[in-house]
Amino acid sequence: MPTYADIILPLAVPGTFTYEVPEDMVARVHPGHRVVAAFGRGRKMYSGLVLRTHGELPEGRIAKPILEVLDETPVATGEQLSLWQAIGDHYMCTLGEVMLAAMPGPLMLSSSTRLVAAPETSPAWTGNPRRDMLLDALQHRHELSLQEAGELMGVKDPMPVIKKLMETGALMLAEELKDTWTARTERYVRLSESARGEEALHHWFDALERAPKQLHLLMRYIELSRCLSDDPREVKRDTLLKRSDASAAELKRLCGKGVFVIEERPAGVPSEEAARKPAPVLSEAQAKALQAVRTAFADKPTVLLHGVTASGKTELYMELIAEVVRRGDHVLYLLPEIALTTQIIARMRARFGERVAVFHSRLSQRERTELWMRMLREPGTHPVVVGARSALFLPFGSLGLVIVDEEHDPSYKQQDPAPRYNARDMALVLAGLHGAKVLLGSATPSMESLYNARTGKYGFAPLLVRYGDAALPTIVKVDVADLQRRKRMRGNFSDTLITGIEEALARKEQVIIFQNRRGYVPAWQCETCGWVPECDHCDVSLTYHKRDHGLRCHYCGRRYTPPTSCAACGSNRLRMVGLGTEKVEEELALLLPEARVARMDQDTTRGKHGFERLLARFGEGAIDILVGTQMVTKGLDFDQVTVVGILSADNLMRFPDLRAHERAFQLMAQVAGRSGRKRDPGTVYIQGRDIHHPLIELVAQHDVEGMYARELPLRQAHGYPPFSRMVRIVLKHKNEARVQASADVLAEALRGKLGDRVLGPEPPTVARVRDKHLRVLLLKLERGHYRAEKNFLRDVIDRIFAEAPHRSVQLHVDVDPL
């Protein structure tokens, strides 16, 4: 009896594809194995993933044979495949799209995949004619596709040869070669064995009496390291030189004399001594919250931890992680931003050592593949994984706990391309597949999570006291309109905020300024007629970036030369309108010339280690004022920050979105929580024109419950989440009339069952992107009939867009949009 396999191909095509398994391969083909299969009329080859094997050929189909089996053991687990199916079903996308998002690139091969020889001085000849022919060709042509390799060797299926060469290291993918990198290292200073202890140090004080600079360097090290106290700290070489105002030569001399030793190790990895440090003692409030979490886990698989900023939620997480690791299970610790992993990973490794792995999109393809395969082959090596949303797809063995930190953060939602999944929601599905617990943590929980906790779906644990009884920051509301009338504004800064910054800098403290708009200014404008330059391919104004003196479209990325005159009336009276982080940085440099100002936004953190380097400089005190977009709001923990400034607070509340007020409250409350975390109470200055808005008052009172009580009745009255499930449908086409007509037909068909719960179609705020016109429909699906109504939606879409002329319209479905 023939055997067939349903295979997931890494393509955005619906469904799986059934192939026949040759008799000699039956014993080697199982779910999770990669196989080579030809697809399409051109017989292009792909490495697909086996979903299941069976003995039934779909009626009316002819099954092509599988060409090759690539793996001896599966590269994906049963739980992973089940998660992929759940994501594909819930977010109405194909399994191929989920596979493309989930698997590292080197594990997915196709005919167009480029091959290169390993970067050796000479080819590693094998004695096999076909393999040596391929290696010789790569020495002369440098790169070949899989298809070209097959033609060169005269075989239809080149994969067996390529697989052998990749296993021996003689061959690699071009993408892997481009991603090679050298791990960043850090240098630490520590006392040599002969200089440890009070008696030994006194000896060196006497010996260095005639070398005052070296003595000062030693004294400053003792101060920074606290080596004579019960709480010693590590000291970085650069930090010591900066704080002591000493030269590298003086430090080298002390090393030569046997006082210091320089230790170099990969960034973020603690010393063995640091990794053996005992866990800190929890405060009374933390211990109470931890017990509440444990009690809630006894009844509920998911618990919401509402902990105010700087309350020590991370220490609670680590206590729970330690318990799970002792049981022999795995832990997934999700963070919304790569920037946060920089700080968290150091704390995690100080507690758990090298058992902690990191996974996010800025790792090279090789690094991601290595971790993936290590977790499959050696599951005990890294029982703790810290990562951004893509870490959800890793092959966990026995998962015991999933922590979703800052669970409210919209960065957990994948926007483009499909699957447009929310990692917070899918973490619950993943945990359910493994029988694991989920802990959601936030100082400003999302409306949905709070609602689920209030209605008993989730357990709930409060932690409403800052660690060490530190006071919540004082909120100072600054009325910009009033100060402008009284001429007390200095550019975009009030004299109140500038005074607060100056006082903080005088105390050697640090400042964060939040402006949620990157670039220099959002627009140029003609003073005569009001004309604003827009992108030629998108209906959006261009943002000016002063650093490269260019106008940039933040939707398609195109750049333009700034105009010298108005394109509408010819006037040369053009002015800059609005405020971006680049301009904020420039104004601060002029107002406070002695301050060291840096900017943290998408433009300054593009490199692989951009976040890490910037945060390291800020943590070491090399930056006095950090200006940033919403990146600076997300869980950063710096002792020296005591002043936070929020500019243009009004603009945060004026987006045409049902979550505008919730998001604005979360952003302001989160960035306010960066101040006064360890020392004196911090101060937050909120600048705006409508400074008496009820939302700003709630931020000033740190009133999450008040925000919930204000927003929830409005959501209920209009049938918005959490009282419904929403689906956003975006239609795109180069012809505006075509996309409007298709949107009207779709809306009419949906209204037959959903009625007035179909909103639109309407053009969005930016109605044309990359030369394509957009129309949007918003659907509100009833929670009690959600699955039936979503199936109805899928059937309607399949029926309408399978026919001309609607087939040419591009359609994106976004389930649970943010």
Short mmCIF file of all heavy atoms in Angstrom, two decimals, residues 120-153:
data_model
loop_
_atom_site.label_atom_id
_atom_site.label_comp_id
_atom_site.label_asym_id
_atom_site.label_seq_id
_atom_site.Cartn_x
_atom_site.Cartn_y
_atom_site.Cartn_z
N GLU A 120 37.83 28.84 2.89
CA GLU A 120 39.13 28.24 3.18
C GLU A 120 40.13 28.69 2.12
O GLU A 120 39.75 29.20 1.06
CB GLU A 120 39.04 26.71 3.19
CG GLU A 120 38.02 26.16 4.18
CD GLU A 120 38.47 26.34 5.62
OE1 GLU A 120 39.67 26.59 5.85
OE2 GLU A 120 37.61 26.23 6.51
N THR A 121 41.39 28.49 2.35
CA THR A 121 42.42 28.89 1.39
C THR A 121 42.38 28.02 0.14
O THR A 121 42.72 28.45 -0.94
CB THR A 121 43.81 28.80 2.04
OG1 THR A 121 43.98 27.49 2.59
CG2 THR A 121 43.93 29.83 3.15
N SER A 122 41.97 26.78 0.27
CA SER A 122 41.89 25.88 -0.88
C SER A 122 40.71 24.96 -0.70
O SER A 122 40.31 24.68 0.43
CB SER A 122 43.18 25.07 -1.01
OG SER A 122 43.39 24.28 0.15
N PRO A 123 40.11 24.47 -1.81
CA PRO A 123 38.94 23.60 -1.68
C PRO A 123 39.28 22.28 -1.00
O PRO A 123 40.37 21.74 -1.16
CB PRO A 123 38.50 23.39 -3.13
CG PRO A 123 39.71 23.67 -3.95
CD PRO A 123 40.49 24.71 -3.21
N ALA A 124 38.32 21.77 -0.21
CA ALA A 124 38.51 20.50 0.50
C ALA A 124 38.06 19.37 -0.41
O ALA A 124 36.91 18.95 -0.38
CB ALA A 124 37.71 20.52 1.81
N TRP A 125 38.98 18.89 -1.28
CA TRP A 125 38.62 17.85 -2.25
C TRP A 125 38.21 16.57 -1.53
O TRP A 125 38.78 16.18 -0.52
CB TRP A 125 39.79 17.57 -3.19
CG TRP A 125 40.29 18.79 -3.91
CD1 TRP A 125 41.51 19.37 -3.82
CD2 TRP A 125 39.53 19.62 -4.80
NE1 TRP A 125 41.59 20.49 -4.60
CE2 TRP A 125 40.38 20.68 -5.22
CE3 TRP A 125 38.23 19.58 -5.29
CZ2 TRP A 125 39.99 21.67 -6.09
CZ3 TRP A 125 37.83 20.57 -6.17
CH2 TRP A 125 38.70 21.60 -6.58
N THR A 126 37.20 15.91 -2.09
CA THR A 126 36.61 14.75 -1.43
C THR A 126 36.94 13.43 -2.11
O THR A 126 36.77 12.37 -1.52
CB THR A 126 35.07 14.89 -1.38
OG1 THR A 126 34.57 14.85 -2.73
CG2 THR A 126 34.67 16.20 -0.74
N GLY A 127 37.33 13.48 -3.36
CA GLY A 127 37.54 12.24 -4.12
C GLY A 127 36.29 11.77 -4.84
O GLY A 127 36.35 10.88 -5.68
N ASN A 128 35.14 12.38 -4.53
CA ASN A 128 33.90 12.06 -5.22
C ASN A 128 33.78 12.99 -6.43
O ASN A 128 33.82 14.22 -6.28
CB ASN A 128 32.72 12.27 -4.26
CG ASN A 128 31.39 11.95 -4.91
OD1 ASN A 128 30.93 12.67 -5.77
ND2 ASN A 128 30.77 10.86 -4.47
N PRO A 129 33.63 12.45 -7.67
CA PRO A 129 33.65 13.30 -8.87
C PRO A 129 32.62 14.42 -8.86
O PRO A 129 32.94 15.56 -9.20
CB PRO A 129 33.39 12.30 -10.01
CG PRO A 129 33.79 10.97 -9.46
CD PRO A 129 33.50 11.02 -8.00
N ARG A 130 31.39 14.11 -8.48
CA ARG A 130 30.35 15.14 -8.51
C ARG A 130 30.59 16.22 -7.46
O ARG A 130 30.44 17.41 -7.72
CB ARG A 130 28.98 14.50 -8.31
CG ARG A 130 28.48 13.79 -9.57
CD ARG A 130 27.13 13.14 -9.34
NE ARG A 130 26.60 12.59 -10.58
CZ ARG A 130 25.59 11.73 -10.64
NH1 ARG A 130 25.00 11.34 -9.52
NH2 ARG A 130 25.17 11.26 -11.81
N ARG A 131 30.97 15.79 -6.26
CA ARG A 131 31.23 16.79 -5.22
C ARG A 131 32.41 17.67 -5.59
O ARG A 131 32.36 18.90 -5.42
CB ARG A 131 31.51 16.09 -3.88
CG ARG A 131 30.33 15.29 -3.34
CD ARG A 131 30.70 14.63 -2.02
NE ARG A 131 29.90 13.43 -1.79
CZ ARG A 131 30.15 12.54 -0.86
NH1 ARG A 131 31.19 12.70 -0.06
NH2 ARG A 131 29.38 11.48 -0.71
N ASP A 132 33.48 17.07 -6.11
CA ASP A 132 34.65 17.85 -6.48
C ASP A 132 34.35 18.77 -7.66
O ASP A 132 34.88 19.88 -7.75
CB ASP A 132 35.82 16.92 -6.82
CG ASP A 132 36.35 16.21 -5.57
OD1 ASP A 132 35.97 16.64 -4.46
OD2 ASP A 132 37.11 15.24 -5.71
N MET A 133 33.48 18.32 -8.59
CA MET A 133 33.08 19.16 -9.72
C MET A 133 32.37 20.42 -9.21
O MET A 133 32.62 21.54 -9.68
CB MET A 133 32.15 18.39 -10.66
CG MET A 133 31.70 19.16 -11.90
SD MET A 133 30.39 18.30 -12.80
CE MET A 133 31.24 16.77 -13.24
N LEU A 134 31.50 20.22 -8.21
CA LEU A 134 30.76 21.35 -7.65
C LEU A 134 31.69 22.31 -6.91
O LEU A 134 31.61 23.53 -7.07
CB LEU A 134 29.67 20.82 -6.71
CG LEU A 134 28.74 21.87 -6.07
CD1 LEU A 134 28.04 22.71 -7.12
CD2 LEU A 134 27.71 21.18 -5.18
N LEU A 135 32.60 21.77 -6.12
CA LEU A 135 33.56 22.62 -5.39
C LEU A 135 34.45 23.39 -6.35
O LEU A 135 34.75 24.57 -6.14
CB LEU A 135 34.40 21.77 -4.44
CG LEU A 135 33.69 21.21 -3.21
CD1 LEU A 135 34.62 20.28 -2.44
CD2 LEU A 135 33.22 22.34 -2.29
N ASP A 136 34.89 22.73 -7.44
CA ASP A 136 35.74 23.39 -8.42
C ASP A 136 34.99 24.53 -9.10
O ASP A 136 35.54 25.62 -9.32
CB ASP A 136 36.21 22.36 -9.46
CG ASP A 136 37.19 22.98 -10.45
OD1 ASP A 136 38.21 23.56 -10.00
OD2 ASP A 136 36.92 22.92 -11.66
N ALA A 137 33.71 24.30 -9.40
CA ALA A 137 32.91 25.36 -10.04
C ALA A 137 32.74 26.56 -9.11
O ALA A 137 32.78 27.71 -9.54
CB ALA A 137 31.55 24.80 -10.45
N LEU A 138 32.57 26.28 -7.82
CA LEU A 138 32.40 27.38 -6.87
C LEU A 138 33.68 28.18 -6.68
O LEU A 138 33.63 29.37 -6.34
CB LEU A 138 31.93 26.83 -5.51
CG LEU A 138 30.47 26.37 -5.46
CD1 LEU A 138 30.19 25.62 -4.16
CD2 LEU A 138 29.53 27.56 -5.58
N GLN A 139 34.85 27.55 -6.92
CA GLN A 139 36.10 28.29 -6.83
C GLN A 139 36.20 29.34 -7.95
O GLN A 139 36.79 30.40 -7.77
CB GLN A 139 37.30 27.33 -6.93
CG GLN A 139 37.44 26.43 -5.73
CD GLN A 139 37.67 27.20 -4.43
OE1 GLN A 139 38.52 28.07 -4.37
NE2 GLN A 139 36.89 26.89 -3.42
N HIS A 140 35.56 29.05 -9.08
CA HIS A 140 35.65 29.97 -10.22
C HIS A 140 34.45 30.91 -10.31
O HIS A 140 34.59 32.06 -10.70
CB HIS A 140 35.76 29.16 -11.52
CG HIS A 140 37.03 28.38 -11.63
ND1 HIS A 140 37.14 27.07 -11.19
CD2 HIS A 140 38.26 28.72 -12.09
CE1 HIS A 140 38.37 26.63 -11.39
NE2 HIS A 140 39.08 27.62 -11.94
N ARG A 141 33.26 30.41 -9.95
CA ARG A 141 32.05 31.22 -10.09
C ARG A 141 31.57 31.80 -8.78
O ARG A 141 30.63 32.59 -8.76
CB ARG A 141 30.94 30.38 -10.73
CG ARG A 141 31.25 29.98 -12.17
CD ARG A 141 30.20 29.07 -12.75
NE ARG A 141 28.88 29.66 -12.77
CZ ARG A 141 27.80 29.03 -13.25
NH1 ARG A 141 27.92 27.81 -13.76
NH2 ARG A 141 26.61 29.61 -13.21
N HIS A 142 32.16 31.39 -7.66
CA HIS A 142 31.88 31.93 -6.32
C HIS A 142 30.52 31.55 -5.78
O HIS A 142 30.40 31.15 -4.64
CB HIS A 142 32.06 33.46 -6.30
CG HIS A 142 33.41 33.90 -6.75
ND1 HIS A 142 34.56 33.55 -6.08
CD2 HIS A 142 33.80 34.63 -7.83
CE1 HIS A 142 35.60 34.06 -6.70
NE2 HIS A 142 35.18 34.72 -7.77
N GLU A 143 29.43 31.70 -6.57
CA GLU A 143 28.09 31.36 -6.10
C GLU A 143 27.35 30.56 -7.16
O GLU A 143 27.51 30.79 -8.35
CB GLU A 143 27.27 32.63 -5.78
CG GLU A 143 27.66 33.31 -4.48
CD GLU A 143 26.64 34.37 -4.08
OE1 GLU A 143 25.55 34.41 -4.69
OE2 GLU A 143 26.92 35.14 -3.16
N LEU A 144 26.52 29.62 -6.69
CA LEU A 144 25.64 28.84 -7.57
C LEU A 144 24.30 28.66 -6.88
O LEU A 144 24.24 28.54 -5.65
CB LEU A 144 26.23 27.45 -7.86
CG LEU A 144 27.48 27.36 -8.75
CD1 LEU A 144 27.99 25.92 -8.73
CD2 LEU A 144 27.16 27.79 -10.17
N SER A 145 23.22 28.63 -7.65
CA SER A 145 21.93 28.26 -7.08
C SER A 145 21.82 26.75 -7.07
O SER A 145 22.59 26.04 -7.73
CB SER A 145 20.79 28.87 -7.90
OG SER A 145 20.72 28.23 -9.17
N LEU A 146 20.84 26.22 -6.32
CA LEU A 146 20.64 24.77 -6.31
C LEU A 146 20.33 24.26 -7.72
O LEU A 146 20.79 23.18 -8.12
CB LEU A 146 19.49 24.40 -5.37
CG LEU A 146 19.69 24.62 -3.87
CD1 LEU A 146 18.51 24.06 -3.10
CD2 LEU A 146 20.96 23.99 -3.37
N GLN A 147 19.55 25.04 -8.45
CA GLN A 147 19.19 24.62 -9.81
C GLN A 147 20.43 24.57 -10.70
O GLN A 147 20.63 23.61 -11.46
CB GLN A 147 18.16 25.61 -10.38
CG GLN A 147 17.58 25.17 -11.71
CD GLN A 147 16.41 26.04 -12.14
OE1 GLN A 147 15.97 26.90 -11.38
NE2 GLN A 147 15.91 25.82 -13.33
N GLU A 148 21.29 25.59 -10.59
CA GLU A 148 22.52 25.60 -11.39
C GLU A 148 23.44 24.46 -10.99
O GLU A 148 24.11 23.86 -11.84
CB GLU A 148 23.23 26.95 -11.21
CG GLU A 148 22.50 28.11 -11.86
CD GLU A 148 23.08 29.45 -11.45
OE1 GLU A 148 23.72 29.52 -10.38
OE2 GLU A 148 22.88 30.44 -12.19
N ALA A 149 23.47 24.14 -9.69
CA ALA A 149 24.31 23.03 -9.24
C ALA A 149 23.84 21.71 -9.84
O ALA A 149 24.65 20.87 -10.26
CB ALA A 149 24.29 22.95 -7.71
N GLY A 150 22.52 21.50 -9.92
CA GLY A 150 21.98 20.29 -10.52
C GLY A 150 22.32 20.18 -11.99
O GLY A 150 22.69 19.11 -12.50
N GLU A 151 22.19 21.29 -12.72
CA GLU A 151 22.51 21.30 -14.15
C GLU A 151 24.00 21.02 -14.37
O GLU A 151 24.38 20.31 -15.32
CB GLU A 151 22.12 22.65 -14.75
CG GLU A 151 20.62 22.88 -14.79
CD GLU A 151 20.26 24.31 -15.17
OE1 GLU A 151 21.20 25.12 -15.34
OE2 GLU A 151 19.06 24.62 -15.29
N LEU A 152 24.85 21.59 -13.52
CA LEU A 152 26.29 21.40 -13.66
C LEU A 152 26.67 19.92 -13.49
O LEU A 152 27.49 19.38 -14.25
CB LEU A 152 27.03 22.24 -12.61
CG LEU A 152 28.55 22.08 -12.55
CD1 LEU A 152 29.20 22.74 -13.75
CD2 LEU A 152 29.09 22.70 -11.27
N MET A 153 26.07 19.26 -12.49
CA MET A 153 26.42 17.86 -12.22
C MET A 153 25.63 16.89 -13.08
O MET A 153 25.87 15.68 -13.05
CB MET A 153 26.17 17.55 -10.74
CG MET A 153 27.11 18.29 -9.79
SD MET A 153 26.89 17.83 -8.05
CE MET A 153 25.27 18.54 -7.70
#
